[in-house]
Amino acid sequence: DSFDNGKVGYKVYIGPGQYFVITDIGNGCYQWYAFLARPPGSAAEEEKPNGSSPFLQDTFQGWSEDIHHILKATKEHEIEQRDLYDRPPSVMKPWTDGSVALLGDAVHAMMPNLGQGGCQAIEDAFVLGQELGGVSRRSQVADKLSTYQNRRLIRSAAVQGLSRFASDIIIRGFDTPAKIVWEEGSSLPRFENFNYAGIVTKMLQPILPLFFTIQFNFLYEGWRNDIQIDLAAAFGLLTVGALVLLVSAGSVGEVGLGLGMGLEGVFGTEGLEAFLAGINDFLGM
């Protein structure tokens, strides 16, 4: 019964410490996600005497009616709560051992914000198929699996980093945008949400569409994994990403996301090593 059924496929509502996503999955059906900044294990500890839907309706009180409409239409048994975890990319631990190889979340678990967990597993399988497709002797398998890891390491690490960045910047950095409201009959404006985070969020609004364009171009253009590093995409992501961090540094710095975070905070120490190692390989250093 959504008013924009068939017109809008993906809606995101972002606010302080939480956000809500509604996705049109076709045939009048929807799925939704409520992302909340909560400590691990809160599912068992947080009291919900009236059920999960009323609890979430209270949590998102004052938010868009779209959220409350879909929450009220959702049955209790359809709602699940779970903690979300990722892991930093690793270059110290092998993906392969002889004729055995890891793929998907087993080797590069990531936050779900970009919807890339399953996509990266498919890319793993695609590259594995390419490498193993030409094997004619069992003795060739180990080397082919090693090539698979080398082809996938940098790109999967980048996607892990982007997913972590998206999660952290939304949950920890965004607020309701600041705005100036002029009311009829008043000679003075009314300032709404003019705190630091609100001003930063307002400043980010024109920047984020550019970042998202570059980000999604990277995600959907490099699936063949023909090269370890797409320098053009990397330059764009780093340049615009640095601008986002520069603008948001004060509002998220206290939780470890400010300018001091840099690449290491996004990718983890080992992931940064993988990124630098890939650049060295690309340049033949």
Side-chain angles (χ1 to χ4, degrees), residues 55-166:
F55 170 80
L56 288 171
Q57 291 175 51
D58 290 341
T59 301
F60 286 92
Q61 185 176 6
W63 288 49
S64 170
E65 283 302 316
D66 282 1
I67 294 174
H68 293 275
H69 181 253
I70 199 166
L71 285 174
K72 291 174 182 176
T74 305
K75 300 178 176 62
E76 279 296 314
H77 73 271
E78 297 174 324
I79 302 175
E80 297 182 2
Q81 181 176 344
R82 61 177 66 92
D83 295 338
L84 297 175
Y85 297 96
D86 65 353
R87 54 170 291 173
S90 175
V91 294
M92 305 303 292
K93 299 176 182 178
W95 293 23
T96 67
D97 184 6
S99 59
V100 178
L102 298 175
L103 58 76
D105 282 353
V107 71
H108 45 62
M110 59 190 69
M111 297 302 286
N113 301 75
L114 302 182
Q116 283 294 304
C119 295
Q120 291 306 300
I122 292 172
E123 288 190 24
D124 289 342
F126 175 76
V127 173
L128 272 172
Q130 284 187 324
E131 294 301 326
L132 296 178
V135 168
S136 58
R137 298 189 306 275
R138 189 184 297 268
S139 59
Q140 297 175 311
V141 172
D143 287 341
K144 290 294 186 180
L145 292 182
S146 179
T147 302
Y148 147 71
Q149 175 179 341
N150 292 336
R151 286 180 60 186
R152 289 290 298 136
L153 182 59
I154 300 300
R155 178 169 165 80
S156 64
V159 177
Q160 279 181 286
L162 286 171
S163 298
R164 177 180 290 190
F165 176 83

Side-chain angles (χ1 to χ4, degrees), residues 1-48:
D1 295 332
S2 175
F3 72 95
D4 54 9
N5 181 31
K7 299 178 181 178
V8 179
Y10 190 80
K11 294 184 280 190
V12 182
Y13 304 88
I14 300 174
Q18 59 195 46
Y19 64 106
F20 199 97
V21 178
I22 302 175
T23 304
D24 184 344
I25 57 176
N27 297 321
C29 297
Y30 294 82
Q31 61 181 6
W32 56 263
Y33 313 92
F35 294 88
L36 311 176
R38 295 287 192 274
S42 62
E45 299 173 0
E46 218 158 21
E47 295 185 1
K48 305 179 185 68

